[in-house]
Structures are given as C-alpha cells and as structure tokens.
Amino acid sequence: MLIVDTTLCIGCGVCEANCAFGAIILKDGVAVVGDGCKLCGSCVDNCEPGALRIETAAKAAPNDLSAWSGIWVFAEARHGAVAPVAFELLGIGRKLADQRGTALTAVLLGANVESKAAELIAAGADKVLLADDPALAQYREDVYGKVLEHLIVQHKPEVVLAGATAIGRSVIPQVANVLGAGLTADCTALAIRAEDGVLLQTRPAFGGNIMATIECPQSRPQMATVRPNVMAQAQPDAARVGEVIKVALAPELLASNIEVLETVLSQEQQANIQEKEVLVSGGRGLGNEKGFALLHELAIELNGAVSASRAAVDAGWIGYPCQVGQTGKTVSPKLYIACGISGAVQHTVGMQSAETIVAINRDEKAPIFDLATYGLVGDLFEILPLLTEKIREQRRL
C-alpha cells in the first residue's frame, strides 16, 4: 500500500498533479491517498521530500531448494480407472525427470486401486506412492488435500504436476496454498531450465492472445496443472520395473467434514468428448438448439460425439461438459468437424491439436479456415445432410 509520512509531506502538490489515476488529493496541506491508487510508483519517484513510499508484504524466506528433489504426478483415479491425463503427465514428467537426473513418482489415491500401479510404471513412473484406503473411495477435497500435503512435506518433491480436471482444479490450489508454493494453472507446455532446475510453465493469457511463461524460483514444490489432451502419452512398456510404496495414513488425515451421499455418472460424462477420436462441433452459426440434431446424426455415423463452442453453450443449446475452448475442455481427436464456428482464439486453443480439422462455414473469411485441413464454404444446413448421407452410403458398401 502507499504510505504518506505526514511529518515529511510539505503539501507541494506534485504528487497530486502527476497521479494519472487521480488517486491523490491534498487535504489540509497533506497528501491523502484514495481507493483509485494502482501502486504505479510515479508519485514516489517525484516526491522530493521522500514523504511517499510503497509498503509490500514481507516475503517469506526461501526454502532450502537443495532439500527438494524428484518429479511427481498426481495420478487421479475415478470410478476404478486412472484418468487419461495422468498418463499424459507421465509422458512429460518422464522427460523432465530425465533432464533433472531424478526419479519420476506417481501418487495414486483411492480404494482398490493397487492393480493400477503397474499401469503407471509401464507409462514411465519409477515409483508409485500408493494410498489405498476405503476412506479414499469417494473424492473429498479436504481428505485428498491433507493426504497430498502430508506426502509432499514428507518426501519433498521439487515439481508436482496434476491434471486441470474438476478434481485437479479443486484440490491442487488448496495444497499449494497450505504449502506456500507457487502454482500455475492450465499449462499447455512445460520445460526445465537446465542451469537452475526451475520449471518453466507456459499457459495462455489475456484471452489466449499471448502465451505467458511463468516460473517460481523461490519456492518448492513447483506446482502446475495441465489441461487434458495437451501432452502426448508415452508408449507404455509392460517390461518396465518400478517400486510400489504403500502409504499408511493416520486416522486424522482421513477425517472429513464432507459426506458424499451418492455419485451419479451422467450420460454426458459417459460420452466424454476428451476421449473421442471424432468430434462434430457446433457454434453460433447453427442458429438454435435444433441445429444440433444434424450434428448428432453425423456424429452417430462417424462413431463420434458432439461438442460445441462457448457461444452455443452460453445460448443454452447444449451442456457445458461439451464445451471446447479456453473456458471448456481441450480435445485432440483424430477428426474435428467445426460447423458454424468462426474460429476465435478462445475456441481454437482447445482444439488446434486435432489431427484433421474440417471447417464448414458460410463466411469464407472466417478465421477457422486458417486452421482447417479442409474447408467447405456454404450453408451447413445443406452440407451436413449431404455429408451424412454420403457416409451412410459408403458404410453400406
């Protein structure tokens, strides 16, 4: 905050005259700071008597960075299966660990999940920290948070990675806050700076218009969540050998203020768009929710699923679990058909890694065509029925 030393202020008015935000006024011959102050420091630089200063919170003493070692991946498990993003994180985690010359550890929490440890080792983990307990069967933020905090404090990893899923976005910020660690959310690229081991965390900023690289040089662990379908999975190697370390948890770590009454898997979750190889996606150009009927017909013929841009979701034409983009899900299908989607960067950041992109739009200057592998300029209500029928004919042959 901006502090005025009234014993030094001479009421010259220079600060008032130079404040671009009009946040300083003279009252009874003394500078008074208002709520509009942006802490830009211009007034401090121009105050000859030195009556103005900016006070900031004292920084905590940096950790002994040499005490922290190893790359960790939080291997999220739900409904008896490890989330696909965990294997993607093991792929990039393996590269980071090799570069640092350290071990890659997967942290697996749940009930009856011991059999999944072998999958994590095959995907690149050197070790699996396994907390297998009936109390972990249902995800409860307070319990998962306490367990992760306990393990991190005990083992001191230098990097902790997690998926930017509903669970990852819920529990990882809590853990980072308790530990006083730096955290970067929704990363799309990760790298290690060789000279000092700092994790370089890249993510979209300012509406996806730029990519920002963030580092946390003074705190450990360095924590990041990564959007699903951004990193490539490593080819699993069933011959890999690793160590499974079973973790015994004290009762107080498993105590919770949350009671989960029931977990219901919705139809939308069963058709997870992040796991589909073919997506037929609709945007504002569909005009209304009835337009999605054409998309469903085409998706059925292609054994795919229907997704959408934010504009279609905001209009109420389809549910949020189907949204692709910066504020939705990141997908990487083999085929992405964009129907009536203009191609704003907020959408393309979530689907640009698709192998093949087909764009259908009546506006030949739509940005989506700059990204598309194939483009069809025309009325989607004429093109989609013809395309669907043609695929049906081919399948009958």
Side-chain angles (χ1 to χ4, degrees):
M1 61 186 299
L2 182 60
I3 303 297
V4 180
D5 187 336
T6 57
T7 64
L8 296 177
C9 181
I10 60 175
C12 65
V14 172
C15 56
E16 182 180 20
N18 283 279
C19 181
F21 306 101
I24 300 178
I25 61 172
L26 287 180
K27 188 173 182 180
D28 297 330
V30 176
V32 177
V33 183
D35 293 337
C37 178
K38 306 299 183 185
L39 298 178
C40 67
S42 175
C43 58
V44 176
D45 295 337
N46 288 288
C47 182
E48 289 189 11
L52 296 171
R53 70 180 188 277
I54 294 176
E55 273 193 2
T56 58
K59 292 185 178 180
N63 292 324
D64 177 8
L65 304 187
S66 63
W68 300 74
S69 176
I71 310 295
W72 277 21
V73 168
F74 171 50
E76 177 185 324
R78 292 282 280 163
H79 309 297
V82 177
V85 69
F87 298 105
E88 297 166 20
L89 293 174
L90 287 171
I92 183 63
R94 182 70 270 161
K95 295 178 182 178
L96 300 178
D98 290 344
Q99 187 175 349
R100 289 291 289 158
T102 190
L104 175 63
T105 300
V107 182
L108 180 61
L109 312 182
N112 300 316
V113 292
E114 184 174 354
S115 61
K116 304 300 177 183
E119 297 178 16
L120 300 174
I121 292 172
D126 298 309
K127 302 177 184 178
V128 177
L129 280 178
L130 173 65
D132 196 324
D133 193 288
L136 299 172
Q138 295 279 11
Y139 169 71
R140 288 173 295 173
E141 181 181 312
D142 54 352
V143 172
Y144 271 55
K146 287 187 291 185
V147 171
L148 286 173
E149 293 156 20
H150 169 74
L151 294 176
I152 290 172
V153 170
Q154 183 179 29
H155 294 274
K156 290 183 167 53
E158 58 186 306
V159 171
V160 176
L161 307 177
T165 62
I167 288 178
R169 287 171 170 164
S170 167
V171 71
I172 297 301
Q174 170 193 320
V175 175
N177 184 58
V178 171
L179 297 175
L183 167 64
T184 303
D186 288 349
C187 294
T188 56
L190 297 171
I192 289 285
R193 190 161 61 202
E195 56 266 31
D196 57 7
V198 167
L199 181 67
L200 303 177
Q201 306 154 88
T202 302
R203 56 153 295 157
F206 294 103
N209 292 307
I210 67 168
M211 301 301 287
T213 297
I214 300 168
E215 57 186 65
C216 304
Q218 300 299 325
S219 65
R220 294 292 184 273
Q222 303 164 91
M223 303 182 73
T225 60
V226 178
R227 305 197 85 180
N229 291 308
V230 169
M231 306 294 180
Q233 295 187 21
Q235 190 68 28
D237 179 4
R240 285 193 86 252
V241 177
E243 181 182 7
V244 178
I245 303 170
K246 296 183 179 180
V247 177
L249 300 175
E252 57 267 23
L253 293 176
L254 301 174
S256 177
N257 293 320
I258 301 169
E259 180 184 1
V260 180
L261 300 179
E262 184 181 11
T263 300
V264 178
L265 188 65
S266 72
Q267 291 298 318
E268 288 176 325
Q269 286 176 309
Q270 290 176 27
N272 189 340
I273 62 173
Q274 293 178 309
E275 299 175 0
K276 290 292 184 177
E277 293 188 347
V278 177
L279 288 176
V280 184
S281 197
R284 195 190 306 275
L286 288 175
N288 55 55
E289 60 184 315
K290 294 181 180 178
F292 276 90
L294 294 175
L295 271 60
H296 280 287
E297 291 182 16
L298 179 56
I300 289 172
E301 295 302 322
L302 295 170
N303 192 28
V306 172
S307 56
S309 69
R310 177 175 177 173
V313 172
D314 287 348
W317 302 341
I318 194 169
Y320 173 74
C322 298
Q323 181 175 319
V324 172
Q326 186 177 4
T327 54
K329 294 179 178 178
T330 300
V331 297
S332 185
K334 292 184 177 179
L335 174 62
Y336 189 88
I337 304 177
C339 307
I341 293 175
S342 64
V345 67
Q346 290 84 355
H347 180 76
T348 58
V349 73
M351 45 69 71
Q352 59 191 356
S353 59
E355 289 185 20
T356 302
I357 299 171
V358 177
I360 304 174
N361 201 297
R362 66 175 65 196
D363 180 6
E364 62 181 15
K365 296 181 179 179
I368 191 68
F369 288 121
D370 296 332
L371 191 64
T373 313
Y374 304 100
L376 298 172
V377 178
D379 188 342
L380 63 88
F381 293 100
E382 296 178 0
I383 294 173
L384 285 177
L386 294 174
L387 182 58
T388 302
E389 184 57 35
K390 192 67 176 178
I391 292 172
R392 284 177 181 151
E393 291 177 2
Q394 291 296 317
R395 293 184 66 180
R396 294 191 192 108
L397 297 179

